[in-house]
Amino acid sequence: MTSLSEGLRVIKAPPTVHYIPNFITPEEGSVLWDHVYGAPKPKWTQLSNRRLQNWGGVPHPKGMLQEALPEWLEKCIGKIMLLGLFDDQHVPNHVLINEYLPGQGIMPHLDGPMYYPTVATISLGSAIIMDFYRPVEPTTSSSLESRYLTSLILEPYSLLVLKEDMYNTYLHGIAERTEDIVDCSKVCNMDQLSHSSPFPTNIKRTTRVSLTIRHVPKVLKVKLKLGKH
């Protein structure tokens, strides 16, 4: 079993980024893929630029009505727990599954205070480039280009771990495009990729599925009462 060590830290990025290539096997990835696409249709939520599944409940500022996770996701969480990423008081209880078709992405964002500030993401399907940006400061330009920090290539079967500043401060996003051009001067985890060198200069996107695994501290035992009374 791989352990979370300094050898897995992305040296050219802030110190709270870890990248683990081949965290799961292709066989394990195939099983996860089948479970994702074998989920009942009501489990999918369609957004304007992608669709997703919530497992464990739907996070809400007032608290999450917790639901039991299926065995196939509990197995993933158990494997991550062996790495020491989460302590026993913050065992992951929520998994967000995103599907990205070629040309789809997600705008730069922070995951926010509803979650414990550690996020672990397993990637399936297409490789992709994820970009990171500094927050808007009163004395700096608000343009994305001026706030660009670095990029990571996320390969299939890999695990990305963001903690502390990389979770709380720096925004992350995926550009809406069908092809990623690989600029080795910008991609900070080139030395840790599983792909044999040299890495292709471009990534033609196919369907990508990400499993974002987090701990929601505030959970409820009764259903939320939303709206006016």
Side-chain angles (χ1 to χ4, degrees):
M1 173 62 63
T2 304
S3 62
L4 189 65
S5 66
E6 283 301 301
L8 298 173
R9 186 171 74 80
V10 180
I11 302 302
K12 297 178 181 179
T16 52
V17 181
H18 291 79
Y19 180 78
I20 305 174
N22 296 322
F23 176 70
I24 60 172
T25 65
E27 293 74 21
E28 290 172 322
S30 179
V31 170
L32 290 175
W33 188 276
D34 289 345
H35 278 297
V36 169
Y37 285 102
K41 188 174 181 180
K43 197 66 182 176
W44 287 100
T45 299
Q46 183 67 55
L47 304 182
S48 60
N49 61 343
R50 68 189 189 285
R51 61 177 183 161
L52 55 82
Q53 299 176 15
N54 275 287
W55 292 91
V58 179
H60 189 276
K62 292 184 178 180
M64 180 178 74
L65 182 63
Q66 192 167 6
E67 302 170 356
L69 289 166
E71 182 181 357
W72 55 279
L73 288 176
E74 288 284 9
K75 187 175 181 180
C76 289
I77 290 171
K79 193 169 185 176
I80 289 172
M81 286 297 293
L82 292 175
L83 301 176
L85 298 173
F86 297 87
D87 58 44
D88 291 340
Q89 286 72 48
H90 300 97
V91 177
N93 56 6
H94 182 262
V95 181
L96 179 67
I97 297 178
N98 278 291
E99 177 195 62
Y100 296 94
L101 302 178
Q104 294 180 338
I106 185 169
M107 64 183 296
H109 66 284
L110 296 174
D111 285 359
M114 285 193 295
Y115 306 98
Y116 178 70
T118 294
V119 56
T121 300
I122 295 174
S123 293
L124 304 173
S126 180
I128 206 165
I129 289 181
M130 177 176 283
D131 301 312
F132 293 82
Y133 300 89
R134 299 177 181 86
V136 176
E137 299 288 352
T139 58
T140 61
S141 169
S142 62
S143 70
L144 274 180
E145 292 78 8
S146 66
R147 294 188 288 118
Y148 173 79
L149 177 68
T150 192
S151 298
L152 290 164
I153 292 177
L154 305 185
E155 301 170 288
Y157 317 125
S158 67
L159 181 75
L160 173 68
V161 181
L162 304 177
K163 301 180 68 175
E164 300 168 10
D165 283 350
M166 285 303 288
Y167 180 95
N168 291 315
T169 302
Y170 298 106
L171 288 72
H172 59 280
I174 297 170
E176 294 184 335
R177 53 194 177 216
T178 58
E179 183 177 11
D180 288 311
I181 304 302
V182 179
D183 184 341
C184 295
S185 67
K186 293 183 176 181
V187 175
C188 61
N189 65 330
M190 293 296 299
D191 296 339
Q192 290 163 282
L193 299 177
S194 65
H195 194 285
S196 58
S197 182
F199 195 87
T201 56
N202 64 307
I203 301 169
K204 293 187 181 296
R205 292 187 188 176
T206 57
T207 299
R208 174 179 180 260
V209 170
S210 64
L211 288 75
T212 301
I213 298 166
R214 295 175 287 204
H215 174 79
V216 178
K218 191 174 182 180
V219 296
L220 302 173
K221 298 184 182 298
V222 296
K223 289 188 176 181
L224 292 170
K225 294 182 179 180
L226 302 176
K228 297 181 179 179
H229 298 279

